């Protein structure tokens, strides 16, 4: 006796008509959901297909497309789907599955083999490959694809245009801090510039301060007054020191002239005393002059010689003092010039460093100003939008507008251009 096979008995009549109407409605609904240019869209790795059979609750499978471009279908095995449209895959499975005996569990718990009808096999895309948004948006990264998705919708999901992602601080507070730092550096630069001008005036390289080229502020005005007062004090001190040395040299010259005249007189006295001594010495040898008189004459010669030596020594020392004063007078100007040149070099170096810092702060202020303007106005300049799409194995770049349609797997590159700038001024 041959074993009998229990096949599912298909309902006829009203139930069959209702089932066909249900299938038609479901197919139309799924067809509407699956469009995003579904007729042209080619499946690929990352998509997930859902296969169901009408009336069989157990037969519902979500099958991801693997890296080989295949899905593993129960009762069929590996089915290549990469590069095919959804309708082609649906037709392929509707051709394959009805040729298989599918087992279905009844309410009594028995497995019953069932032969499927092609129209009962429903194939839809459960999940599309995501799209990716990169560039000047609030939340760059992966976004789930939905049928009918446009660039505008993807940007909305990414939080809209934004360059705040490059920053972790508040641009309004940063702007205030940077403005304060810039003003402080501007004042420091003005101070260094005033000092340079003062030194150049003292060196004879310029005649006055150029205040019109400096920022007009109370702080700069006060600095200018201070530098001008310091210039007057230093010039007065130098003039006094120079005059003092010149007067000391003049006095030493006058004293030296007096000592020279005194030394000449003492020299004449020595000659006279010596002649008197020689004459008295002859008289004493003749016996006409007493010895006491000769001793007095010799004493006078010694006194005159001593006074001459003292005057000569004082003159020599005075000449040395006058020469030293003259050397100090020469060195005073040379040393002053050397000190001023060194101070000028240091001030110029500080000014250049301050200006470099000002340029850096100005660049930061420019960027922060762009961020503030973007927050206030909602955007910067016109954005540049590009879509990178894999077309027939080739990566294609497409310049698009916000209303352009997207396909699964697209990558959107967003680049904001700015219309805002700040004036750095001239120095």
């Amino acid at each position: 006796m041959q074993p009998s096979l229990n096949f599912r008995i298909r309902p006829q009549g009203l139930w069959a008509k209702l089932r066909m109407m249900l299938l038609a409605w479901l197919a139309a609904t799924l067809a509407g959901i699956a469009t995003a240019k579904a007729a042209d869209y080619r499946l690929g790795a990352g998509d997930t297909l859902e296969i169901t059979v009408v009336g069989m609750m157990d037969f519902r499978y979500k099958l991801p497309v693997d890296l080989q471009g295949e899905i593993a279908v129960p009762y069929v095995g590996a089915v290549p789907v990469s590069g095919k449209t959804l309708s082609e895959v649906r037709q392929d499975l509707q051709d394959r599955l009805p040729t298989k005996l599918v087992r279905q569990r009844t309410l009594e718990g028995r497995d019953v083999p069932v032969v499927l009808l092609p129209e009962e096999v429903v194939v839809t895309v459960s999940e599309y490959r995501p799209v990716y948004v990169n560039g000047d948006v609030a939340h760059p990264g992966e976004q789930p694809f939905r049928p009918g998705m446009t660039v505008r919708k993807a940007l909305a999901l990414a939080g809209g245009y934004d360059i705040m992602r490059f920053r972790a601080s508040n641009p309004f507070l940063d702007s205030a801090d940077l403005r304060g730092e810039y003003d402080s550096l501007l004042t420091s630069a003005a101070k260094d510039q005033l000092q340079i001008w003062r030194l150049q005036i003292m060196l004879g390289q310029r005649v006055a301060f150029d205040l019109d080229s400096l920022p007009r502020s109370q702080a700069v005005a006060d600095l200018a007054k201070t530098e001008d007062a310091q210039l007057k004090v230093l010039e007065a001190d130098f003039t006094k020191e120079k005059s003092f040395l010149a007067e000391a040299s003049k006095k030493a010259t006058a004293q030296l002239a007096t000592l020279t005249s005194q030394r000449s007189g003492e020299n004449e006295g020595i000659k006279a005393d010596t002649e008197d001594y020689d004459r008295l010495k002859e008289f004493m040898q003749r016996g006409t002059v007493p010895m006491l008189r000769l001793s007095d004459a010799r004493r006078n010669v010694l006194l005159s010689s001593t006074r001459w030596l003292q005057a000569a020594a004082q003159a020599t020392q005075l000449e040395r003092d006058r020469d030293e004063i003259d050397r100090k007078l020469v060195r005073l100007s040379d040393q002053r010039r050397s000190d001023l040149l060194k101070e000028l070099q240091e001030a110029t170096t500080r000014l250049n460093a301050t200006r470099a810092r000002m340029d850096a702060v100005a660049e930061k202020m420019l960027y922060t100003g762009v961020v503030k303007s973007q927050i206030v106005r909602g955007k910067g300049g016109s954005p540049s939008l590009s879509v990178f799409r894999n077309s027939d194995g080739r990566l294609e770049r497409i310049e698009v507008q916000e209303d352009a349609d997207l396909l699964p797997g697209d990558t959107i590159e967003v680049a904001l251009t700015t219309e805002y700038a700040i004036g750095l001024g001239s120095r």
Side-chain angles (χ1 to χ4, degrees):
M1 181 175 176
Q2 294 181 349
S4 61
L5 296 177
N6 294 323
F7 293 97
R8 185 178 67 176
I9 300 175
R10 301 191 175 277
Q12 301 294 329
L14 181 60
W15 169 243
K17 292 181 180 180
L18 290 174
R19 185 181 65 178
M20 295 304 295
M21 291 175 61
L22 177 63
L23 288 175
W25 174 80
L26 181 60
T29 303
L30 293 176
I33 296 176
T35 59
K37 296 189 177 180
D40 299 330
Y41 175 61
R42 303 286 175 174
L43 298 171
D47 292 326
T48 300
L49 300 181
E50 183 173 1
I51 302 176
T52 59
V53 174
V54 178
M56 295 184 64
M57 300 301 295
D58 295 339
F59 201 101
R60 180 181 295 272
Y61 299 97
K62 288 187 177 182
L63 307 175
V65 182
D66 59 22
L67 295 177
Q68 286 72 35
E70 299 177 344
I71 58 174
V73 183
Y75 303 102
V76 176
V79 177
V81 298
S82 181
K84 296 181 180 180
T85 63
L86 181 61
S87 59
E88 291 174 345
V89 175
R90 183 184 297 114
Q91 184 62 48
D92 186 15
L93 293 179
Q94 287 178 347
D95 292 340
R96 294 193 187 196
L97 280 174
T99 64
K100 309 294 181 180
L101 286 178
V102 179
R103 306 190 69 84
Q104 181 181 14
R105 184 175 295 275
T106 64
L107 295 176
E108 294 81 9
R110 294 184 296 109
D111 286 339
V112 178
V114 176
V115 176
L116 304 180
L117 298 177
E119 61 270 17
E120 293 178 325
V121 179
V122 180
V123 181
T124 59
V125 179
S126 175
E127 295 180 11
Y128 288 94
R129 283 174 286 171
V131 296
Y132 300 89
V133 184
N134 184 36
D136 296 328
V137 292
H139 307 291
E142 176 183 314
Q143 301 291 342
F145 178 82
R146 294 293 183 268
M149 196 173 199
T150 62
V151 173
R152 188 188 303 275
K153 294 177 181 178
L155 294 177
L157 291 174
Y161 299 118
D162 195 357
I163 58 176
M164 283 291 291
R165 62 193 180 91
F166 295 113
R167 303 176 54 86
S169 54
N170 189 315
F172 293 94
L173 298 179
D174 285 349
S175 179
D177 292 341
L178 291 172
R179 173 55 64 182
E181 183 178 359
Y182 187 85
D183 291 342
S184 176
L185 291 174
L186 193 63
T187 303
S188 297
K191 177 182 177 181
D192 293 334
Q193 186 64 72
L194 287 168
Q195 183 178 6
I196 290 174
W197 288 340
R198 173 177 60 79
L199 295 171
Q200 290 174 343
I201 292 174
M202 296 175 70
L203 288 169
Q205 299 176 359
R206 65 184 302 124
V207 295
F209 295 100
D210 185 13
L211 300 181
D212 293 336
S213 63
L214 296 178
R216 297 184 181 276
S217 66
Q218 186 60 43
V220 175
D222 293 340
L223 288 173
K225 292 180 180 178
T226 302
E227 287 294 335
D228 185 62
Q230 189 174 7
L231 171 64
K232 294 177 180 179
V233 170
L234 292 175
E235 288 289 356
D237 289 344
F238 175 71
T239 302
K240 290 178 181 179
E241 183 70 17
K242 191 174 180 179
S243 298
F244 174 78
L245 292 175
E247 186 65 24
S249 177
K250 183 178 179 181
K251 290 181 178 179
T253 301
Q255 291 177 0
L256 183 60
T258 301
L259 287 175
T260 301
S261 177
Q262 181 181 353
R263 186 173 58 179
S264 298
E266 294 295 339
N267 191 32
E268 293 296 330
I270 291 174
K271 289 181 180 180
D273 290 339
T274 301
E275 291 176 356
D276 186 40
Y277 174 74
D278 292 338
R279 187 175 62 254
L280 291 176
K281 187 177 180 180
E282 291 178 358
F283 289 156
M284 187 191 69
Q285 290 176 354
R286 295 175 186 176
T288 60
V289 175
M291 186 65 181
L292 182 60
R293 179 94 179 265
L294 182 63
S295 298
D296 290 339
R298 184 169 58 188
R299 187 180 302 107
N300 290 334
V301 171
L302 291 176
L303 290 175
S304 299
S305 299
T306 302
R307 287 195 298 269
W308 183 88
L309 289 175
Q310 289 177 348
Q314 289 178 356
T316 302
Q317 182 62 40
L318 192 58
E319 286 180 353
R320 292 176 181 174
D321 293 342
R322 186 190 62 179
D323 292 341
E324 181 64 24
I325 292 173
D326 292 339
R327 283 195 295 269
K328 285 183 178 180
L329 188 60
V330 174
R331 284 200 304 267
L332 178 65
S333 298
D334 293 341
Q335 185 64 39
R336 177 176 183 262
R337 183 174 182 82
S338 177
D339 293 340
L340 290 176
L341 289 174
K342 181 179 179 181
E343 191 175 354
L344 178 62
Q345 183 181 22
E346 294 174 353
T348 303
T349 302
R350 286 197 308 271
L351 179 60
N352 292 333
T354 302
R355 285 177 172 174
R357 292 176 59 192
M358 289 175 62
D359 291 339
V361 173
E363 290 292 333
K364 294 179 182 179
M365 290 172 63
L366 174 64
Y367 172 75
T368 306
V370 172
V371 176
K372 287 176 58 181
S373 299
Q374 175 199 330
I375 293 175
V376 172
R377 297 182 57 181
K379 64 177 182 178
S382 300
S384 174
L385 302 175
S386 303
V387 170
F388 293 86
R389 180 173 297 165
N390 193 340
S391 178
D392 298 330
R394 294 181 297 104
L395 187 63
E396 182 182 5
R397 177 174 180 171
I398 308 171
E399 298 293 333
V400 298
Q401 300 297 323
E402 291 181 340
D403 293 328
D405 293 326
L406 293 176
L407 292 179
D410 285 349
T411 298
I412 307 170
E413 185 73 26
V414 182
L416 285 179
T417 57
T418 176
E419 303 167 337
Y420 313 107
I422 62 173
L424 301 182
S426 60
R427 297 189 297 272

